[in-house]
Amino acid sequence: QKEVEQNSGPLSVPEGAIASLNCTYSDRGSQSFFWYRQYSGKSPELIMFIYSNGDKEDGRFTAQLNKASQYVSLLIRDSQPSDSATYLCAVNTGGFKTIFGAGTRLFVKA
Amino acid sequence: DAGVIQSPRHEVTEMGQEVTLRCKPISGHNSLFWYRQTMMRGLELLIYFNNNVPIDDSGMPEDRFSAKMPNASFSTLKIQPSEPRDSAVYFCASRMEGGNYGYTFGSGTRLTVV
């Protein structure tokens, strides 16, 4: 079982819709959770982090964490074509070690 | 802040040659990470430095790989001898311990070994 799992996609949504990206993790002791966005040919860029159960909102982005279900998600409201990228879920299992998922490719159709 | 600076951006080399990748972390960040990204394996952590000291190199695939951090502003990843299966994008990332623990990645070095 992979430590951090994501659906590879592609996930295709129309412009203006809500994109929902999901991630599960295996280490129940994981403490902090991150979402990175990676455009094709570019480096990953941190867009959200969350530590506590519940929702965290930042502009059009909402991160959701459910530690009991070992599940973290990212919602993108009013999706724009510029949101088309690969979204990487990353989980810090304690100390320095952060494990990345394989990423979900998102396409936002204009 | 110029961010994490990596060089070169692209490297094409012949099998058997030595390759050296360079990284300058963000000033004040005391943790530095080398990652490798491929389509098949995604992002893999190779080595982690804290305060210039290698803490965990368990991700370094073989003895052909070595990394150094002689000071707080410079790190190298060396592959000697290089092989075609080393072809990947190599990212350096840094962060400040404490805070949100998120990384800032450099632009990466795309390595092609032919």
Side-chain angles (χ1 to χ4, degrees), chain A residues 34 36 38 43 49 51 96, chain B residues 37 48 91 95 99-100 103 106:
Chain A
F34 306 88
Y36 289 80
Q38 187 174 24
S43 58
F49 61 91
Y51 301 145
F96 70 89
Chain B
Q37 188 175 39
Y48 157 61
F91 288 107
R95 74 178 185 198
N100 68 26
Y103 299 155

Side-chain angles (χ1 to χ4, degrees), chain B residues 4-37:
Chain B
V4 177
I5 300 173
Q6 290 188 247
S7 65
R9 290 295 305 274
H10 302 275
E11 178 81 30
V12 180
T13 191
E14 292 185 346
M15 182 174 63
Q17 296 298 305
E18 177 180 295
V19 175
T20 299
L21 311 181
R22 297 173 176 80
C23 175
K24 176 179 169 55
I26 290 175
S27 178
H29 282 191
N30 61 354
S31 295
L32 183 141
F33 305 80
W34 282 99
Y35 277 87
R36 177 171 69 176
Q37 188 175 39

Side-chain angles (χ1 to χ4, degrees), chain A residues 32 34 36 38 41-46 49 51 88 92 95-102, chain B residues 9 33 35 37 43 45 48 55-56 58 91 95 99-103 105-108 110:
Chain A
S32 48
F34 306 88
Y36 289 80
Q38 187 174 24
K42 302 295 184 181
S43 58
E45 173 192 13
L46 179 67
F49 61 91
Y51 301 145
L88 303 169
N92 183 279
F96 70 89
K97 202 165 183 70
T98 297
I99 307 297
F100 284 82
Chain B
R9 290 295 305 274
F33 305 80
Y35 277 87
Q37 188 175 39
L43 267 170
L45 176 64
Y48 157 61
I55 302 300
D56 189 315
S58 59
F91 288 107
R95 74 178 185 198
N100 68 26
Y101 299 95
Y103 299 155
F105 283 85
S107 299
R110 182 174 294 278

Side-chain angles (χ1 to χ4, degrees), chain B residues 43-62:
Chain B
L43 267 170
E44 300 175 280
L45 176 64
L46 301 177
I47 188 169
Y48 157 61
F49 291 89
N50 182 254
N51 293 322
N52 312 338
V53 176
I55 302 300
D56 189 315
D57 64 355
S58 59
M60 298 284 262
E62 299 171 33

